[in-house]
Amino acid sequence: MMKKTLLLIAFLPLLWLSSCGGQGSSSDIDVDLIDNPNSASGYDNSARVPVLTFDSDLHDFGRITQGESISYSFHFRNTGNSDLVISGCSATCGCTVADYPRGRIAPGGEGYVTVSFNSQGKTGQQYQEVTVNSNAQPGRAVLKITAQVSY
């Protein structure tokens, strides 16, 4: 009984911290900050939004030797009509990392997202994804790399 009581006492603060407690209501958000070009009638092409357009979203490294570290730079353009900001990139595996430009990319501007893959400890067909998060419409782009890793 004592263990259950101690467990309950330890659990209650966690429950309290994880509950919203009425916070986060719609009144906390200034609606003037929201610029959504989508509506029930479709997409508003006249809206000022960045668009992240990659030349290609897939690169196949072909056959590589286990232990190699390889990279590929995905070329992109801001084909929208507002400044593009890439806020981060996340990979499906710790063996894959991405480097991306920091700062604003003007309409018509271009750059690269460089994806690096470390094949140490990997064998066979490898498929990795990198999600690029930005203020573009849509807000996420997925880049894919593949490689056939052998000894």
Side-chain angles (χ1 to χ4, degrees):
M1 182 68 174
M2 182 70 154
K3 286 183 181 180
K4 287 182 182 179
T5 304
L6 288 174
L7 187 59
L8 184 60
I9 291 171
F11 180 70
L12 285 176
L14 292 175
L15 182 62
W16 177 76
L17 287 174
S18 65
S19 68
C20 64
Q23 297 174 7
S25 67
S26 61
S27 63
D28 292 340
I29 299 172
D30 183 0
V31 293
D32 293 333
L33 298 175
I34 300 172
D35 184 17
N36 186 353
N38 295 306
S39 68
S41 60
Y43 182 75
D44 178 7
N45 288 328
S46 67
R48 297 197 42 81
V49 294
V51 177
L52 178 59
T53 305
F54 283 93
D55 293 347
S56 173
D57 64 356
L58 172 66
H59 180 74
D60 184 358
F61 286 106
R63 290 188 172 275
I64 65 170
T65 304
Q66 184 185 57
E68 278 187 77
S69 289
I70 50 181
S71 297
Y72 181 78
S73 294
F74 290 90
H75 179 258
F76 69 85
R77 280 187 193 83
N78 177 1
T79 57
N81 55 14
S82 182
D83 286 355
L84 169 71
V85 176
I86 297 175
S87 57
C89 294
S90 59
T92 53
C93 173
C95 60
T96 306
V97 295
D99 186 33
Y100 57 93
R102 274 56 171 188
R104 296 178 176 274
I105 299 158
E110 51 191 86
Y112 293 90
V113 173
T114 301
V115 176
S116 300
F117 171 68
N118 183 347
S119 66
Q120 185 66 42
K122 305 287 185 188
T123 57
Q125 185 65 38
Q126 298 296 308
Y127 177 85
Q128 303 296 328
E129 291 184 349
V130 171
T131 301
V132 180
N133 298 303
S134 71
N135 66 333
Q137 183 65 27
R140 291 185 178 168
V142 178
L143 304 175
K144 299 165 277 290
I145 60 168
T146 62
Q148 180 65 38
V149 181
S150 58
Y151 293 105

